[in-house]
Amino acid sequence: MQWMLALSRLIDAVNAIIGRSVSWIVLVVVLISAGNAIVRKLFNYSSNGLLEIQWYLFSALFLLAAAYTLQRNEHIRIDLITSRLSRRAQAVIDILGTLLFLFPLCALLVYFSWPIFVDAWTTQEMSSDAGGLVRWPALLLVPVGFALLWLQGLSEVIKRLAFLAGAGPDPLEKAPEHHREEPV
């Protein structure tokens, strides 16, 4: 169990670094969007490349931060039933949900999106819009984002199994606010 918990900590650390890093994309997108709007109003000039980079960055934000969101247990949950169950029952439901839904979904999305990325990479596919960008960076985000989400799902399963075995803390227990890791 200890090596599995070490693997879980490693996955958590990688996804925390990525999640905190991509949070800065919000600022970059706002600056690009504001700059593009100002240039469009003042100089009657617009750039498809600037519009597309906003879409790429927005995609990067959500695809690369999804694993971090799962790690921090801040994704959307519908707890009408599970909130009334014991922590052990909640852990079992989380494990089953991850094994039956999250893992297969992530695996399918990585499996089907990887060849699309490879094709765009090898052909250097470009946007069909004038002044548009090369497409492979945006297409790479899909398999990478879902692979990170799959790995975080593995980490969450390990933590819940450790909890059920009495070898780890309750993974759903939130740390007090002053001890919680603050986003960058």
Side-chain angles (χ1 to χ4, degrees):
M1 182 60 72
Q2 290 309 312
W3 72 268
M4 289 176 29
L5 286 169
L7 174 63
S8 174
R9 285 189 296 274
L10 175 64
I11 294 168
D12 287 354
V14 168
N15 279 325
I17 290 168
I18 293 170
R20 286 191 307 267
S21 298
V22 300
S23 68
W24 285 99
I25 290 176
V26 173
L27 176 61
V28 174
V29 170
V30 167
L31 292 173
I32 291 171
S33 179
N36 195 28
I38 291 168
V39 167
R40 188 175 58 247
K41 294 297 179 190
L42 291 179
F43 303 107
N44 199 26
Y45 173 80
S46 184
S47 165
N48 285 331
L50 287 176
L51 291 173
E52 288 182 14
I53 196 70
Q54 289 174 70
W55 300 336
Y56 287 16
L57 291 172
F58 193 69
S59 298
L61 176 65
F62 283 93
L63 287 166
L64 298 178
Y68 183 59
T69 303
L70 178 60
Q71 177 191 108
R72 295 180 52 92
N73 197 34
E74 294 187 359
H75 54 290
I76 296 173
R77 286 181 171 264
I78 301 173
D79 290 335
L80 295 173
I81 297 171
T82 57
S83 64
R84 297 176 186 171
L85 300 175
S86 71
R87 292 293 198 170
R88 294 182 64 77
Q90 290 176 19
V92 169
I93 289 171
D94 285 347
I95 291 168
L96 291 174
T98 301
L99 295 175
L100 297 174
F101 299 106
L102 182 69
F103 281 172
L105 174 72
C106 289
L108 283 171
L109 284 166
V110 169
Y111 178 80
F112 285 113
S113 64
W114 184 256
I116 295 169
F117 154 70
V118 170
D119 183 56
W121 168 268
T122 57
T123 63
Q124 289 299 298
E125 179 182 344
M126 295 291 293
S127 169
S128 59
D129 295 325
L133 303 176
V134 66
R135 290 243 168 108
W136 69 262
L139 295 172
L140 178 59
L141 291 170
V142 177
V144 169
F146 281 99
L148 290 171
L149 186 58
W150 189 94
L151 285 170
Q152 191 59 48
L154 177 62
S155 175
E156 298 305 313
V157 166
I158 291 169
K159 288 185 271 192
R160 280 154 180 80
L161 288 172
F163 168 68
L164 291 174
D170 181 354
L172 294 177
E173 191 68 37
K174 288 211 175 206
E177 285 299 317
H178 63 281
H179 288 116
R180 285 184 63 193
E181 177 183 300
E182 293 300 320
V184 176

